[in-house]
Amino acid sequence: MTEINWEKRKNPTKQVIDEFAKDKKIDPIVAELLLERDITEPADIETFLHAGVDELQDPFELHDMDKALELIDQAIESEAKIAIYGDYDADGVTSTSIMKLALQKLGAKPIFYIPDRFKDGYGPNLARYKFLADQGIDLLITVDNGVSGKDEIKYMKDRGVKVIVTDHHDLPAELPEADAIVHPTIPGSEYVCPYLSGAGVAFKIADALLGDEALELIDLAAIGTVADSVALKGENRVIVTEGLKQMKQNHHVGLTALIKKCKLKVNGISEEDIGFKLAPRINALGRLENASSGVELLTTGDKSFAKEIVDETEDINTRRQELVNTAFADAQSQINAQKDHGVIVLKGNKWHQGILGIVASRTMDQENKPVLATQFDENSGVMKGSGRSPEGFNLFTALNKYNDLFVAFGGHAQACGFSIEEAQLDKLTELLQAEPKEQGFDPQAPVVKKYDLALNITELNFDLIKKINQLAPFGMGNPKPVVKLTNVSLAQPRSIGKDATHLKTMIADGNRQIGAIGFGMFAKSQTIKNSVCDVYGELGINEWAGKKNLQMMLDDFQISPQAKKIAALRQVYLDYRNKRLSSEVMGHFDNIVFFNETYYEAAKRANIKAKLIHYDEECDGNNILIYDRPHSLELFENFIKKNKTKYTALLFHTDLTGTYLKPDMIKMKTLLKYLYTHQNIQAERMDLVAEYLKLQKNDIDFYLKVFFELNFVKIVNGFVEKADASQQRELTESPTYLKRLQRNDVEKILIESNFDDLLSWMSDYDCHC
């Protein structure tokens, strides 16, 4: 398991948060989260918190949008044959669906083609382009691909086919000579929202074609946007926010059937449901089969046909999960054998090629290293592979140095795909081990992650979730806030799931508890039994049998730094506070330390064999006993700052039968008022005053001594009288009062506290920490 170092995303002071909240008229929790995301300008706050259709930008601001619409209008008017060329992932499937539905609304009857991951590969495929051209198409529209298809598009142009490229991927050095390229980052025509997904670009074309009617397609754009992990900033926030609302309208029979199959409530669907339920099922089609059925699902109006596809999709997704679990379990022996490697290269044992990227991603998460997952392809006779890398390591740069070893290669900084001969793969594996050092990436270093809010369990409630959700939708560029709970315990941990690897537990702090789920975390929970922890996770709601309860989805838990200190001090200090020790037992200690002279002299008379020393003398033994309690915590603090002995027993003996009660201000004022309003009160008969005022005689004696020291009262001829004090005095000016407070602190911390709390207090001063 990769070690994680957690840091606060940003750490604005409470004053800064409160002032910002007051100035912007928002809740302090929302204020803190906005400050952590550098969203501070009024206009930015408004659009971020209240993203709506009014924030949709003019689609004609996109490069070549006017040209694209003119070509589409001409094709529809002339009843030309239109083909849409998409991609096999969820973004590509939703892009294709949006384009198909938009053109159908205008009366066109487009055909579409989704490339096969295994036969066609990613992006433009010349053989498939030839096939489409042979079908007599007049206009080709690419969605979620095409910007890198220079040669393929030239072929179509030479065949007399008009080509519109709609894409969002990184631009190549040379753009294709298409009739129109609708892309958000064309130099000189950069769109206001450069983060659009392929589905986002397709939706903008639908917006230009249909106007407000395009909003019926924004739910499909939301799926593609979330699935493709593009930044949820700017217009992407509007697309996802409005897309989630649009799903409630049930415009798409197939999407409604898929939502029902996932057992989701349409009225409460979230971006997390898209990311963890809907998108993986659509992606599974392209991983194991052909994703064309995904387009059929999202564009059909036939409920029975939609149900048939959904059932098939569910079966494929279940098979995908099983294949991933089997392959990942099979990979563990290879992973363990490469623990010392900077880059892990896995060779599949009949792994399905469609899940190689997931295996690489899971391994990367587990080991925090770049990973290549490969499988021999019998059709091509070479190894096919997918690579993933953590932040801080550019996988594309590392692999591109050895481009000559590949049969085919492409990708970006964190993900790559390739084909390579097996002999060359062995050579590549050896060469790659130097790359982490070349890039200054330490694969053994802990992963640094961010948390957003440091709270107590008592601060967790449904209202807090509402405040956090004001920043939704969450995703890339706007992660869901992570809550840190400090010094808590994991109570009642138990394993759940088919493979019993997941954790269900209660997070408790002594006052309250909250349920929690940690995927793949049960084994880790067994290594920290009964330890005080710091817990990190996202707050949510678990609804079961009509009841709603708070629940935390765990990201991590670690023995808290304070718990580690306490554990270390438990190896040094022994709790003898409730023990009765004989002289013989005390004689087994090297040194016995005294804070009070009275106890020191008594011990000398008892003829104890151990060396008896005062607290300010040098301890030269490994095994010592602190016999009595100090009069102040400061004395004890100074002692443990210098006490380097190996074992120290804490007895803190005293003859005091009662505790040092904290002075009661009301009782003190009552007594003082009585003394000021009554005459002829004999100092020797204060027992009568105590009885009348229902106070303890010991308290009366203590209060009187304080009053004398502060010159509130005086004794004249044996009678207590009001003194002629002319200045205001603080109670702490009384040595007796101050000493009582100090003894109260000693009593509370050294005597009354449980041992862990005592050690926790000592950890701030003890030289062993």
Side-chain angles (χ1 to χ4, degrees), residues 675 678-686 704 708 711-725:
L675 296 176
H678 290 75
Q679 298 178 354
N680 302 320
I681 300 176
Q682 294 182 340
E684 293 181 353
R685 299 307 307 273
M686 293 303 295
L704 272 179
F708 292 150
N711 201 29
F712 289 167
V713 298
K714 59 184 179 180
I715 296 180
V716 179
N717 297 324
F719 291 91
V720 179
E721 297 182 2
K722 179 179 179 181
D724 298 325

Side-chain angles (χ1 to χ4, degrees), residues 382-416:
V382 298
M383 303 292 288
K384 295 289 185 71
S386 288
R388 299 291 187 270
S389 67
E391 291 291 334
F393 184 87
N394 191 313
L395 186 61
F396 182 87
T397 298
L399 295 181
N400 197 41
K401 289 174 64 174
Y402 311 107
N403 205 325
D404 58 319
L405 299 179
F406 295 99
V407 174
F409 163 69
H412 54 79
Q414 261 61 63
C416 292

Side-chain angles (χ1 to χ4, degrees), residues 661-664 668 671 696-709 734-741 744:
L661 297 177
K662 185 176 181 179
D664 188 319
M668 292 184 76
L671 175 61
Q696 296 293 322
K697 177 61 166 56
N698 288 341
D699 286 344
I700 291 281
D701 294 340
F702 167 71
Y703 296 154
L704 272 179
K705 190 171 184 181
V706 172
F707 294 160
F708 292 150
E709 291 175 349
S734 162
T736 298
Y737 185 84
L738 189 59
K739 187 175 181 180
R740 173 63 66 88
L741 290 183
N744 273 325

Side-chain angles (χ1 to χ4, degrees), residues 30-239:
V30 178
E32 183 172 0
L33 295 173
L34 290 174
L35 287 168
E36 289 186 326
R37 287 154 177 74
D38 293 320
I39 302 170
T40 57
E41 295 300 320
D44 294 336
I45 294 172
E46 178 63 25
T47 56
F48 191 86
L49 296 181
H50 305 103
V53 291
D54 292 342
E55 302 300 324
L56 288 174
Q57 303 298 309
D58 183 355
F60 288 94
E61 293 297 320
L62 275 162
H63 181 266
D64 279 355
M65 180 64 83
D66 52 346
K67 293 181 182 180
L69 254 65
E70 185 177 350
L71 289 166
I72 292 171
D73 287 341
Q74 290 173 356
I76 293 174
E77 187 175 345
S78 63
E79 297 184 352
K81 193 169 185 178
I82 304 173
I84 305 166
Y85 192 94
D87 189 25
Y88 46 70
D89 66 3
D91 191 20
V93 168
T94 51
S95 301
T96 305
S97 301
I98 291 168
M99 191 64 68
K100 180 174 183 282
L101 290 169
L103 294 175
Q104 286 177 341
K105 285 178 179 289
L106 294 172
K109 297 179 179 179
I111 63 172
F112 71 89
Y113 185 81
I114 299 294
D116 188 287
R117 178 190 291 266
F118 313 107
K119 298 176 182 177
D120 304 327
Y122 167 76
N125 179 286
L126 185 57
R128 297 306 168 193
Y129 273 27
K130 288 180 179 179
F131 172 78
L132 291 173
D134 291 342
Q135 301 297 304
I137 68 168
D138 302 296
L139 174 63
L140 175 69
I141 304 175
T142 72
V143 291
D144 192 33
N145 76 96
V147 77
S148 297
K150 179 176 177 292
D151 294 337
E152 293 83 358
I153 289 171
K154 183 179 185 304
Y155 170 82
M156 297 299 275
K157 293 291 296 175
D158 291 343
R159 291 284 300 266
V161 178
K162 300 287 187 183
V163 180
I164 299 173
V165 171
T166 79
D167 201 353
H168 72 116
H169 291 95
D170 292 346
L171 297 173
E174 189 175 353
L175 293 174
E177 295 180 1
D179 295 279
I181 300 177
V182 182
H183 193 289
T185 62
I186 299 290
S189 301
E190 292 88 349
Y191 185 58
V192 65
C193 182
Y195 324 107
L196 289 175
S197 65
V201 175
F203 171 74
K204 296 306 293 183
I205 293 177
D207 188 12
L209 287 169
L210 304 173
D212 290 345
E213 194 176 352
L215 288 175
E216 293 181 6
L217 306 174
I218 200 170
D219 48 1
L220 303 183
I223 294 173
T225 299
V226 173
D228 216 48
S229 297
V230 292
L232 290 188
K233 299 179 181 179
E235 196 168 21
N236 281 350
R237 288 183 61 78
V238 181
I239 290 173

